[in-house]
Amino acid sequence: MEKINSYIRTYLDVLLFVLLVVTKVLIYGRQMETGYFSYFSLFPPVFASVLLLAAISLLLNSQRRVRFLYICNIVITIFIIADLTYFRYFKDVISIPVLINGLQLGAVKSSVSNLMKFSDFLYAIDIIFIFPKINKFRYINRIEIPRSLKLSLFFILMIISSVININSFYDLSKEQPRLLSTLYNKVYIVKNLGSVNYHYLDFYNSLYASVSRRTPVSKEKESEIKTFLQTNSQDTSSLKGIAKGKNLIMIQVEALQGFVINNKVEGQYITPNLNKWAKSSVYFDNFYYQIAAGGTSDAEFMSNNSLYPAVSGAAYFLYCGNEFNSMPKNFRDLGYDTAALHGYRETFWNRNIIYKRFGFNNFYSEKNYDIDETVGLGLSDRSFLSQSVDKIKELNKPYYSFLITLSSHFPYDDVDNYGNFDVGPYEGTLLGNYLKSIHYTDEQLGMFFDKLDKEGVLKDSVVVLYGDHYAIPKDHISELAKFLNKDSLSDLQWIKLQKVPMMIHFPDESNKGVNSICGGQMDIYPTICSLFDIPNNNLMGKDLFNSKEGNVIFRDGSFIDGKYYYMAQTNTYFDMVTEEKINENEDLKNRKENALNQLEYSDEILKHNLLKKFESENQ
Ligand code: GP9
Ligand code: MN
């Protein structure tokens, strides 16, 4: 008995490690779940994932074992805190590709510091207070178990861990095909296998992806992708060529979320200028953002390429060496001058590199502007837009110019510079600060449109304007519900709010009105191709003026069309009209399959640089 007690004392560090880390990961799993959660069903894979580390630690001698377990605990805790912070803004969890371009966070550190909560650091209590004691405790009556027994214990624990995990992974792969190989819905993996297993998988997939990129895509898959792209570039008729030879000015507005359009606070319109602009444009009021981990850069990537964002990380980094069939390149080949304009550091989101790949002749960044006024992250929208009109006028006609605004950036905390806009009871809240910031940006856009008009630019230019992504993160859902006079927001109501306005303004307002087709940022490029009658091959999106039914596919495998919404994170279908949950049927299964196929095609195109191959085959 004495011997067993001393064994227990000797291996207390292992026992404590398993107990503490399993508890942490289960609590974290509870925090990540918005719906039904069961500790019981999450326990097996979480226990198995931690047992694996415990088994490996048995192969080390005591000193090394304590240190190994201590480091594992620190790494797991850092990932838990980082994932929680990241989830609050991106509604996703961190992956290795995100860490690769994680250097970007430096520039939006005000966002990160606003997203961290003191309670997150409770996960680190054991590391700070409990674990160092183990080291002292270790040298009392320490008796190592014989090496042969250690090895048998190692194998026994490995077998237990593997059997449990294989069962959990198999069940998930049956329920969600392709999920474990593509990680298209990372949050779902965390909820069903636990954080540690997810990061094991992410590490394996990143390793596999870097190897598989070197192995050519199969002939069958390649012809499948080609067939899809050919059928997708449908012939268009309505409004085809109506803007041929005109200039194109496209404006991506930072954090312009749909709920502010035509909405008021304290009796004042939040965006009076955009409301007016919408009335003189074709206003797509059922238009969704489709960004993933690449944030703003994903929005730009989709609107200029009609390819889906990267499954992990940002395409702007991961694929900056690829050949693209980008809109600037398309226009440039037709004799257009092209320019991107953004009053921020040129290296942010790797823009200075990838814009060249997209075919922009010019990129006017922070260094090309007089930084005479800053609001929010950098050059004020007022000064940026005013100076940009002068730069646009210098371009050779016809031109395509792409502007990205900045001042209305999360956490919208530069309230002293947004001007006086009474937000009443929302004063001092994130939502109130956002309303002030977007009201400021709206004012500057109004000035911008007036200046374009006065300078005679509007009469021979099409102006496309859209929001890049949401403004109010999900952890502020109650503020948004209150603003919309609702007690709470269901999953479906929340999704319906994940819209951004998209407006197309024609010269002389020749076309205007509200178009409620269900569309997304992937559809901007094909829609512009039809209006300007330029080649629309190899695009994943649809021309919104010539599509019968909309279909918006999101990076996590969710999709929405006029009739149904599929929420991948909870594997649930909704009827968009009745707002009722519905069971999967053959038709819905095919729609889900279609969504996953399109995401896979886009990923294969990016991973294997297939557009370069397709272009060379067409020559
Ligand atoms: C900075 C701006 C911010 O250039 O585009 O990007 P975001 O943080 O919104 O992805
Ligand atoms: Mn943004």
Side-chain angles (χ1 to χ4, degrees), residues 89-90 104-105 107-108 111 252 254-255 291-298 300 342-349 351 355 377 404-406 408-410 468-470:
Y89 190 71
F90 287 100
Q104 290 304 322
L105 287 182
V108 286
S111 307
Q252 179 176 292
E254 177 59 35
I291 68 159
T296 301
S297 71
D298 279 352
E300 301 177 22
H342 180 50
Y344 200 59
R345 283 203 330 263
E346 63 172 348
T347 55
F348 198 85
W349 284 126
R351 288 181 172 114
Y355 280 172
L377 273 188
I404 303 118
T405 68
L406 185 63
S408 52
H409 190 280
F410 185 89
D468 63 350
H469 48 64
Y470 61 94

Side-chain angles (χ1 to χ4, degrees), residues 6-217:
S6 56
Y7 280 169
I8 288 173
R9 266 206 300 276
T10 302
Y11 292 95
L12 182 65
D13 54 327
V14 182
L15 300 173
L16 211 50
F17 169 80
V18 172
L19 176 69
L20 289 168
V21 174
V22 167
T23 307
K24 273 190 216 188
V25 177
L26 286 173
I27 293 169
Y28 163 72
R30 177 73 198 84
Q31 265 194 287
M32 288 292 281
E33 180 54 75
T34 47
Y36 167 75
F37 176 77
S38 144
Y39 283 105
F40 183 73
S41 51
L42 185 58
F43 176 78
V46 168
F47 176 68
S49 63
V50 177
L51 200 63
L52 174 69
L53 297 171
I56 294 167
S57 77
L58 291 176
L59 298 177
L60 307 170
N61 67 32
S62 295
Q63 282 83 347
R64 286 214 183 108
R65 187 181 67 241
V66 171
R67 210 170 301 131
F68 170 76
L69 292 174
Y70 193 57
I71 291 166
C72 287
N73 192 348
I74 291 172
V75 170
I76 290 167
T77 305
I78 289 171
F79 265 117
I80 286 177
I81 294 172
D83 278 338
L84 275 173
T85 307
Y86 188 80
F87 183 75
R88 289 188 184 109
Y89 190 71
F90 287 100
K91 294 173 286 181
D92 204 346
V93 283
I94 285 180
S95 61
I96 288 178
V98 165
L99 291 176
I100 291 169
N101 63 251
L103 306 177
Q104 290 304 322
L105 287 182
V108 286
K109 56 185 173 301
S110 61
S111 307
V112 178
S113 54
N114 269 275
L115 291 162
M116 300 196 100
K117 290 184 176 169
F118 177 73
S119 56
D120 295 348
F121 292 94
L122 295 176
Y123 283 105
I125 280 197
D126 60 325
I127 292 171
I128 301 162
F129 296 108
I130 303 173
F131 237 72
K133 303 270 184 298
I134 296 283
N135 227 4
K136 236 192 343 340
F137 192 71
R138 291 233 5 83
Y139 291 92
I140 302 168
N141 308 329
R142 185 193 72 207
I143 304 179
E144 291 279 350
I145 52 176
R147 187 155 182 72
S148 56
L149 183 53
K150 260 191 195 181
L151 273 175
S152 348
L153 256 182
F154 164 72
F155 284 114
I156 291 167
L157 295 191
M158 283 300 280
I159 290 166
I160 295 169
S161 163
S162 311
V163 166
I164 296 171
N165 251 352
I166 287 168
N167 182 51
S168 306
F169 277 58
Y170 176 75
D171 288 350
L172 186 57
S173 66
K174 290 307 284 172
E175 185 209 325
Q176 296 287 348
R178 292 191 267 195
L179 176 59
L180 300 186
S181 58
T182 62
L183 301 190
Y184 67 79
N185 186 350
K186 295 185 275 299
V187 174
Y188 202 78
I189 296 173
V190 169
K191 287 178 179 178
N192 286 274
L193 298 180
S195 169
V196 179
N197 271 328
Y198 158 69
H199 285 291
Y200 288 159
L201 212 48
D202 175 48
F203 179 73
Y204 167 76
N205 269 33
S206 299
L207 226 51
Y208 179 76
S210 62
V211 170
S212 74
R213 210 176 292 177
R214 291 169 183 72
T215 42
V217 64

